[in-house]
Amino acid sequence: MTTKELRQNMRRGSFVFPFLLIQLLAILATVFEFQRGEVYRIDDGVGMLNVMLLVESGPFWAIVGAVCVVVMPLGGIILMGQELEEGNHELLLLTKLGRWKIVLGKFLTLWGLCTLTFVSLLPFVVVRYALGEVEWWYELACSTTVVGGSALVCAGVIGASAFKTIAGRVAMLLLFLISMLAGCGIPLAFSATVTKGCGIFYHLTAFSAVICYVSTGLALARSRLRLVVLAYEVKPSGMVIALLVCMPFAIGMVTTITWSFGGFVGLLGMALVSLRLDVSPKAPKWVKPPVANTPTPPALPT
């Protein structure tokens, strides 16, 4: 399914035009930095998910971040809606594909397109080394920020695309982005302040933030694929929406309790909650299926 979606989306204008545009802009940005004669440098705060690195590092990384983190992920706002509106998800769920496989296929397709676009720009990164000394740690921080940021936004777009109306998709995407900025920004800012820079706890928190909100965004999309909801059950998508509202408060509380060092614990805990929030009911293996109660036709008179 991932291969099918990837082949289809690579032929769409939502991928082709941004791909060509970013190549042209990358050339212009590289020429501009050659004329400038130096590379922008930031000594403090070099770490993953530090968006200020992309903003203050010159036009190249600003363009890469804008296209790979914002423009291309937003093109997937219709991915899950196509399956739900046409009823394709019901046919898919009748096969061996589970809800997680369907959602992961959509996510890997969208994130794969963003990552493929970023990989195509790596030669420009090598060319930029001619502008000054090789600062591999700085370039690696910018690269992981783009890849991790695109994964976060792609997960949120996949979750929002599972809603039917445009207003619902926009509202869910805004809620996800607000929750993500608060839930990730609080522990990252506190860990960087305590360690006076991007230390080991900062990077643990950054990786945990990606895991947490990617799993939550995919859980939101997965909750919309539930075929049957009993009358006494809470609607699965409502539980995930409530989780998005409460996550920044829970993560902030854990960060405060651990003196700003253990924000990653709260992020990983929320990721586990999102994965277990909407579990498909399954009977144990030792339970035997009920005997079929099929009526037998009456015996024919002899």
Side-chain angles (χ1 to χ4, degrees), residues 73-117:
L74 291 179
I77 198 66
I78 62 173
L79 287 180
M80 290 296 297
Q82 293 176 343
E83 304 293 345
L84 293 170
E85 291 174 0
E86 300 174 1
N88 295 336
H89 69 289
E90 297 178 354
L91 298 176
L92 292 174
L93 292 176
L94 292 177
T95 64
K96 294 183 179 180
L97 291 176
R99 293 191 294 161
W100 272 124
K101 291 183 179 180
I102 296 174
V103 172
L104 282 174
K106 297 288 186 180
F107 169 73
L108 292 177
T109 299
L110 186 58
W111 189 40
L113 294 175
C114 299
T115 306
L116 179 63
T117 303

Side-chain angles (χ1 to χ4, degrees), residues 17 30 36 66 76 87 142 169 173 184 261 274 302:
F17 293 112
T30 305
R36 186 177 183 275
C142 292
R169 294 174 185 177
L173 182 58
C184 298
F261 288 97
S274 66
T302 57

Side-chain angles (χ1 to χ4, degrees), residues 143-212:
S143 301
T144 53
T145 300
V146 171
V147 175
S150 65
L152 290 169
V153 179
C154 286
V157 169
I158 293 296
S161 67
F163 290 80
K164 296 182 179 179
T165 62
I166 298 298
R169 294 174 185 177
V170 173
M172 288 302 103
L173 182 58
L174 289 177
L175 175 61
F176 179 86
L177 293 177
I178 293 173
S179 178
M180 180 191 71
L181 292 175
C184 298
I186 293 173
L188 286 174
F190 275 89
S191 61
T193 301
V194 172
T195 57
K196 296 181 180 180
C198 298
I200 182 64
F201 286 101
Y202 177 90
H203 291 95
L204 282 175
T205 305
F207 281 106
S208 301
V210 175
I211 295 173
C212 176

Side-chain angles (χ1 to χ4, degrees), residues 187 204-205 208 250-251 254-255 258 261-271:
L204 282 175
T205 305
S208 301
I251 295 170
V254 175
T255 304
T258 56
F261 288 97
F264 67 94
V265 177
L267 289 166
L268 294 178
M270 290 295 101

Side-chain angles (χ1 to χ4, degrees), residues 243 245-257 266-267 270:
L243 180 64
V245 175
C246 299
M247 281 176 67
F249 300 98
I251 295 170
M253 183 175 62
V254 175
T255 304
T256 304
I257 294 174
L267 289 166
M270 290 295 101

Side-chain angles (χ1 to χ4, degrees), residues 185-297:
I186 293 173
L188 286 174
F190 275 89
S191 61
T193 301
V194 172
T195 57
K196 296 181 180 180
C198 298
I200 182 64
F201 286 101
Y202 177 90
H203 291 95
L204 282 175
T205 305
F207 281 106
S208 301
V210 175
I211 295 173
C212 176
Y213 276 92
V214 167
S215 61
T216 306
L218 298 184
L220 179 60
R222 177 176 177 264
S223 66
R224 302 288 294 179
L225 295 177
R226 187 98 175 247
L227 295 180
V228 179
V229 179
L230 300 179
Y232 56 85
E233 290 183 350
V234 180
K235 199 171 184 179
S237 58
M239 294 189 294
V240 181
I241 293 173
L243 180 64
L244 284 172
V245 175
C246 299
M247 281 176 67
F249 300 98
I251 295 170
M253 183 175 62
V254 175
T255 304
T256 304
I257 294 174
T258 56
W259 291 283
S260 304
F261 288 97
F264 67 94
V265 177
L267 289 166
L268 294 178
M270 290 295 101
L272 182 60
V273 171
S274 66
L275 294 176
R276 301 295 300 175
L277 193 61
D278 177 25
V279 180
S280 300
K282 293 183 179 179
K285 295 182 178 180
W286 53 267
V287 175
K288 296 181 179 180
V291 180
N293 186 13
T294 56
T296 55

